Amino acid sequence: MAESESATVDLEIIVQGAQEGKKLELRLWLRMLSTTKLISQEIRRRLRNEFGATLPQFDLMAQLYREREGLRLGELSKRTMVTNGNVTGLVERLEADGLVLRVTPDGDRRVTVAKLTAKGETQFSAMAAAHEGWLRDMMADVEPAIVSELWRDIGAVKSSVSNHLSGTDFD
Amino acid sequence: MAESESATVDLEIIVQGAQEGKKLELRLWLRMLSTTKLISQEIRRRLRNEFGATLPQFDLMAQLYREREGLRLGELSKRTMVTNGNVTGLVERLEADGLVLRVTPDGDRRVTVAKLTAKGETQFSAMAAAHEGWLRDMMADVEPAIVSELWRDIGAVKSSVSNHLSGTDFD
DNA sequence: CCCAAACCTTTGACATTTCAAATATCGTCC
DNA sequence: GGACGATATTTGAAATGTCAAAGGTTTGGG
């Protein structure tokens, strides 16, 4: 069969097809996913090493930190994008560590409100400061203008995705 | 004190400060994370409803699909960004479902190579086609030019992050 | 040849994750 | 005032996730 020259041509076709032809959205998604995993793992590792905390715990505490009155578990579930059943366990462990308090309000006994303890606030504010620094470090090589652009354009992606969900969910 | 005019100025400063001043990287990260979670959940839901499969299984099979010879578990672990111990369990379940085969090569008995079965290839190619369509749908409202731009710029983020990890990992 | 270091995978303890079913409470309608 | 539908959380089963320690195998000096 044909040998040296056709091999080169085939290679070019393959490369072109894979890199520019189609599936742009798929390629973007794969890159978003791997980048997010990379950053998550780094944050997880640092939270663990420096604070003995986990990322889901950090996320949950972040929501409580900006609502000093506390939040109902269902609301926590929505904000952290974590299922109800999951929130139950997370709050349980945080309460066992003395970082979070659970209260049932007088008016409605179906409800459980979680709020940070003083210890929880202290610990979280240290973690939050470190966390922000880690992100600045990790993204240090990216131009601020690009960061802003990404923030805006990813917002467009999020909005598009929200409008094309199979369920009846919104943001 | 000053009243009407200074109020306007203050407001601008506040808005500027909050939106563009600092913590840009943090805000980008939060948006990336929530967007990625949103898309992941949608894909998970559809994989489950339409194929009875899970996202980690899909990811693992995707790696094997493009390496018909199969991959060692350690290599699978790196490519899927999943820990070794986790790969063990995933492959076990996929093998129980007849989608994956485990082989120990003659040369080195420390190694386990996983490869797709014929059934696994058939099933994966159906899932992959659907998966690509879902992504196109979800991102339908985003301009192709923006998709390309995002792909490039997120690449820059990933590269920056890779250069600022606490461990000695590379991509 | 043998042993120690290096390599690959599994195991075990725990935390997180989803989904669906079960509980518990509230509000309301009749 | 008791049943019913809507709300809110918990529970249980199964899968995924991390990490560290333990198991085999191979390999390379001595």
Side-chain angles (χ1 to χ4, degrees):
Chain A
M1 311 295 178
E3 196 53 22
S4 58
E5 290 177 50
S6 72
T8 303
V9 172
D10 287 346
L11 186 59
E12 279 173 6
I13 291 172
I14 290 166
V15 171
Q16 280 260 343
Q19 288 206 336
E20 310 212 25
K22 46 193 173 180
K23 308 195 188 185
L24 259 179
E25 293 86 358
L26 176 57
R27 280 150 43 79
L28 171 57
W29 167 238
L30 295 176
R31 186 164 274 191
M32 275 184 69
L33 187 57
S34 62
T35 304
T36 300
K37 271 191 186 174
L38 190 63
I39 298 175
S40 288
Q41 283 169 357
E42 177 70 8
I43 294 176
R44 210 190 306 277
R45 188 180 324 152
R46 298 206 200 191
L47 276 176
R48 177 184 191 75
N49 292 342
E50 300 182 26
F51 297 99
T54 67
L55 185 48
Q57 287 172 357
F58 176 77
D59 282 348
L60 197 154
M61 290 174 78
Q63 296 304 324
L64 295 182
Y65 191 74
R66 56 163 95 167
E67 300 281 351
R68 300 307 174 91
E69 331 282 312
L71 286 170
R72 290 145 48 133
L73 299 197
E75 187 57 28
L76 262 179
S77 169
K78 271 180 214 136
R79 298 200 191 189
T80 57
M81 299 176 80
V82 147
T83 53
N84 278 338
N86 201 358
V87 167
T88 298
L90 283 167
V91 170
E92 246 168 26
R93 270 166 244 124
L94 286 169
E95 190 175 35
D97 290 344
L99 300 169
V100 155
L101 209 64
R102 255 189 306 194
V103 187
T104 297
D106 295 339
D108 189 340
R109 275 189 312 193
R110 291 171 300 183
V111 172
T112 300
V113 169
K115 58 174 297 189
L116 287 183
T117 61
K119 180 182 172 190
E121 288 183 358
T122 304
Q123 171 157 338
F124 175 79
S125 82
M127 290 194 294
H131 178 258
E132 193 200 321
W134 299 336
L135 284 165
R136 242 200 309 271
D137 288 348
M138 285 191 266
M139 300 192 184
D141 302 346
V142 185
E143 302 284 347
I146 300 286
V147 174
S148 291
E149 201 175 283
L150 278 168
W151 183 78
R152 172 169 46 74
D153 291 344
I154 292 177
V157 171
K158 184 173 184 180
S159 155
S160 175
V161 172
S162 294
N163 288 126
H164 295 273
L165 296 177
S166 55
T168 50
D169 292 0
F170 298 143
D171 187 17
Chain B
M1 310 298 178
E3 195 55 19
S4 58
E5 290 176 50
S6 72
T8 303
V9 172
D10 286 348
L11 186 59
E12 279 171 6
I13 291 172
I14 290 166
V15 172
Q16 281 257 344
Q19 289 204 334
E20 310 211 27
K22 47 192 174 179
K23 304 196 189 187
L24 258 180
E25 293 85 359
L26 177 58
R27 281 149 45 79
L28 171 57
W29 166 239
L30 295 176
R31 185 165 273 191
M32 275 185 70
L33 186 58
S34 63
T35 304
T36 300
K37 271 191 186 175
L38 191 63
I39 298 175
S40 288
Q41 283 168 358
E42 178 69 9
I43 293 177
R44 210 189 307 275
R45 188 180 323 152
R46 299 206 199 190
L47 276 176
R48 176 183 192 78
N49 293 343
E50 300 182 26
F51 297 99
T54 67
L55 185 48
Q57 287 172 358
F58 176 78
D59 282 348
L60 196 154
M61 291 175 77
Q63 297 304 326
L64 294 183
Y65 190 74
R66 56 164 96 166
E67 300 281 352
R68 299 306 175 92
E69 330 282 312
L71 286 170
R72 288 146 48 136
L73 298 198
E75 187 57 27
L76 261 178
S77 168
K78 271 180 215 138
R79 297 201 191 188
T80 57
M81 299 176 80
V82 148
T83 52
N84 279 340
N86 202 357
V87 167
T88 297
L90 282 167
V91 170
E92 246 169 26
R93 272 165 241 126
L94 287 170
E95 190 174 36
D97 290 345
L99 300 169
V100 156
L101 208 64
R102 255 187 306 193
V103 186
T104 297
D106 294 340
D108 189 339
R109 277 188 312 196
R110 289 171 300 183
V111 171
T112 299
V113 169
K115 56 174 299 189
L116 287 183
T117 61
K119 179 181 172 190
E121 288 183 358
T122 304
Q123 171 157 337
F124 177 78
S125 83
M127 290 194 294
H131 179 258
E132 193 199 322
W134 299 337
L135 284 164
R136 244 200 310 270
D137 289 347
M138 284 191 265
M139 299 192 185
D141 301 346
V142 185
E143 303 283 348
I146 300 287
V147 174
S148 291
E149 200 174 284
L150 278 168
W151 183 76
R152 173 170 44 76
D153 290 343
I154 292 177
V157 172
K158 186 174 182 179
S159 154
S160 175
V161 172
S162 294
N163 288 127
H164 295 272
L165 296 176
S166 53
T168 50
D169 293 0
F170 296 142
D171 186 16

